[in-house]
Every structure is written in structure tokens, then in C-alpha cells.
Amino acid sequence: MSFLNGEISAGALWHEIEAEVMGCLAATFADAGVGHVIITDGPKALVTGQHADVLLRALAEGSLPLDAACYIADAMIMSDCFDFGDERVSEALSYLSDESVPFSRQEAEALRGRLSAPT
């Protein structure tokens, strides 16, 4: 939440989770094909469209590597600490967590557009 609230930079977040993400990716591509996401407890938090936009903007602009997208989304979805503000936030995070589809900066920008579109 510190990153999503603008309290730390994308670079600081990446520094904090890089080893976890790379370990997860390495395990996923190993023979077993299963990576592990580390989830820590924290206070309950509501993830809004603005929060999701912070993440998507960092991915679209390259301040966070695309390899981080699935890991971060999985951690948020699997955590009991996060509630999602609406269906669009939930759908965006679900899309990010889908490892079966290659994810690009252009797709991050397109998801940003869907989040900000009027309902």
C-alpha cells in the first residue's frame, strides 16, 4: 500500500520485492513449474481505481518491470488484507495475474483507460 499511496517510489518497491519476484519466476520456469508468492499480513486496505492506476502507470512507463505485474497482482488477490473498490479494479488485477498471456506496456496503458472510463 505504501507504493499505491505514493509513499514510496516504484524503484523502492522493486528493490523490496525483486528477489521474491525473480525467485518466483525461476521456480515457475523450473521443472516443477510452480512459483511461490510471499504474502505478509498488514492492515486491511481498500484498493481503489486510483491505486490500480498507480500500479498500471508504473508498469506502462517502465518504472516497474513487467515481470513484477503478475507477482504483485497475485499477492494482492491472495491476501486477506485487500478489498477491491469495484469490479473494474478486480478485473484489472485478475488480468495482471494471468500468466498464460504475455503482458506488455501497451496493455498496461489499455487497462488504465478501462479503469478511468465512465461506467
Side-chain angles (χ1 to χ4, degrees), residues 76-112:
M76 292 174 73
I77 291 168
M78 289 187 267
S79 173
D80 291 334
C81 297
F82 295 106
D83 291 318
F84 305 120
D86 61 34
E87 191 64 28
R88 290 191 287 184
V89 172
S90 182
E91 287 174 6
L93 291 172
S94 292
Y95 187 85
L96 288 178
S97 75
D98 185 358
E99 296 174 342
S100 67
V101 197
F103 186 69
S104 69
R105 298 195 191 295
Q106 293 80 13
E107 288 171 303
E109 196 58 52
L111 280 174
R112 287 184 75 202

Side-chain angles (χ1 to χ4, degrees), residues 15-76:
H15 179 74
E16 189 174 314
I17 66 170
E18 180 179 11
E20 296 170 20
V21 172
M22 300 317 274
C24 184
L25 286 173
T28 300
F29 293 117
D31 290 335
V34 177
H36 299 279
V37 176
I38 298 171
I39 301 170
T40 56
D41 289 332
K44 280 286 207 185
L46 179 66
V47 180
T48 66
Q50 289 176 319
H51 291 126
D53 187 65
V54 168
L55 174 59
L56 291 167
R57 184 177 59 242
L59 293 165
E61 293 174 351
S63 16
L64 270 178
L66 294 174
D67 287 340
C70 182
Y71 186 89
I72 293 169
D74 281 346
M76 292 174 73

